[in-house]
Amino acid sequence: MAEFELDCLGEVCPVPLVKAQKKIASMAVGDVLTVHIDHSCAMKNIPDWARKEGYNVEVEEVDDGEWDLIIEKNK
């Protein structure tokens, strides 16, 4: 299992979603991606997309208006 990070702070949708989709596509099953975001639209879109794909998703609020989305590629 490998762990990857994407710093998408300051970027607005759909950029964080597109970056997350591209990164997940290159990862192996069992790998974990942490996406750092501060845009509320990405806070909704990325977890919705990941769950629809069947991935495990955790959302951690790092600060007021800043989140880490932890996505496990489990299939």
Side-chain angles (χ1 to χ4, degrees):
M1 176 190 97
E3 295 186 12
F4 300 93
E5 291 190 34
L6 280 178
D7 182 358
C8 294
L9 297 174
E11 296 178 347
V12 297
C13 268
V15 174
L17 175 61
V18 171
K19 285 185 173 183
Q21 289 171 329
K22 285 183 180 179
K23 186 63 183 175
I24 286 275
S26 71
M27 292 168 39
V29 172
D31 289 352
V32 174
L33 175 64
T34 300
V35 185
H36 307 289
I37 59 167
D38 60 358
H39 192 255
S40 59
C41 181
M43 171 53 198
K44 178 185 180 332
N45 291 345
I46 295 174
D48 286 353
W49 159 78
R51 289 184 182 111
K52 194 181 305 181
E53 292 296 316
Y55 304 138
N56 294 328
V57 181
E58 286 184 40
V59 177
E60 294 182 3
E61 188 166 3
V62 176
D63 201 356
D64 187 32
E66 191 174 309
W67 303 271
D68 283 349
L69 305 177
I70 302 150
I71 306 167
E72 179 187 1
K73 185 172 182 176
N74 57 352
K75 65 173 199 153

